[in-house]
Amino acid sequence: MDTIKNFKYKKVSKFLEDSEITLLKDYCRIQHRINMSGFDTQQMPNTLDTSFYGDPLMESLLINKKNKMQELTGLKLLPTYAYWRMYTKFADLKKHSDRPSCEISVSVNIGGDGTPWPFVVEDNSIDLEPGDAVLYLGCELKHWRDEFQGDHLAQTFLHYVDANGPYKEYWKDGRLKWGQGKIPTNIRKNFNPKE
């Protein structure tokens, strides 16, 4: 059977259903307007982007897309966490690979003002329409985005690990519950979520 370990990345058209796109796009716009999270500037300094780690709605999507992700990857997966961001004008995403909790990732275009903004994986530029996604090996492949020229674009990232792989201990990203914020590293080291 062909697994993601063989093909490394691929575009998935219509990863989201139309009703999911509508719900998530409205949700992200509302959250961006009230900006309850503050700003996450680690990867993208000098922007007004809104970002949420462990957002309950996105984590529900993470759990509900697990079977689809298993079909697409050919692997048994454990969900780790969801993260979403509303990108704004001049945002960029520096070339990087991800931490172990992002072994198998999917970046999903929720929608925005219609300005194209390709997702680049290993020098291959991939255009995404709302509802489309890029499935990729996050820890292994370098990925990035050049500077965004539009007004806004919402994107969610759903992260999983191979249930039989070297990162399986990152299930739930070391947290006790879905929708919970990050657990401090000193606590996470001694935490086994399967106990």
Side-chain angles (χ1 to χ4, degrees):
M1 174 183 211
D2 197 28
T3 71
I4 190 171
K5 308 259 173 144
N6 299 328
F7 59 78
K8 310 280 186 197
Y9 73 92
K10 70 178 172 183
K11 178 179 177 178
V12 181
S13 296
K14 300 186 185 292
F15 181 81
L16 296 178
E17 297 173 14
D18 289 343
S19 59
E20 292 171 321
I21 296 168
T22 302
L23 172 70
L24 295 173
K25 189 174 179 180
D26 288 344
Y27 176 79
C28 290
R29 260 189 293 204
I30 291 167
Q31 287 286 50
H32 179 65
R33 285 182 185 139
I34 61 176
N35 196 12
M36 292 172 56
S37 71
F39 301 107
D40 176 354
T41 59
Q42 288 181 336
Q43 288 185 328
M44 299 177 16
N46 304 319
T47 68
L48 296 177
D49 299 348
T50 300
S51 60
F52 286 85
Y53 170 95
D55 178 270
L57 180 59
M58 298 304 172
E59 297 228 317
S60 297
L61 185 67
L62 171 81
I63 294 163
N64 281 278
K65 292 294 184 183
K66 179 182 158 194
N67 289 340
K68 182 174 190 139
M69 286 293 292
Q70 290 182 147
E71 290 171 21
L72 291 168
T73 63
L75 299 173
K76 183 177 178 189
L77 301 176
L78 297 171
T80 57
Y81 74 97
Y83 181 85
W84 76 267
R85 177 172 251 138
M86 178 68 80
Y87 295 97
T88 58
K89 192 167 181 83
F90 305 126
D92 67 353
L93 183 61
K94 303 296 182 201
K95 184 185 281 193
H96 70 286
S97 55
D98 296 324
R99 61 191 178 89
S101 293
C102 310
E103 179 184 18
I104 297 160
S105 296
V106 63
S107 178
V108 186
N109 181 332
I110 294 173
D113 67 1
T115 304
W117 197 30
F119 188 89
V120 185
V121 180
E122 296 290 310
D123 293 321
N124 295 297
S125 181
I126 302 167
D127 287 316
L128 301 173
E129 294 295 322
D132 292 348
V134 177
L135 175 63
Y136 58 99
L137 295 174
C139 301
E140 187 176 324
L141 302 177
K142 297 283 186 191
H143 49 282
W144 67 94
R145 288 186 133 140
D146 295 326
E147 191 175 85
F148 182 52
Q149 296 303 308
D151 181 68
H152 66 280
L153 173 71
Q155 194 84 16
T156 192
F157 306 89
L158 308 178
H159 302 292
Y160 303 83
V161 291
D162 181 348
N164 299 305
Y167 304 122
K168 61 186 170 215
E169 73 270 12
Y170 289 89
W171 174 68
K172 285 191 182 175
D173 204 23
R175 300 170 297 161
L176 295 171
K177 304 175 199 169
W178 298 113
Q180 184 177 39
K182 291 182 186 179
I183 293 176
T185 306
N186 62 332
I187 295 172
R188 186 184 300 167
K189 272 194 286 193
N190 300 315
F191 173 67
N192 182 351
K194 294 187 178 180
E195 289 182 347

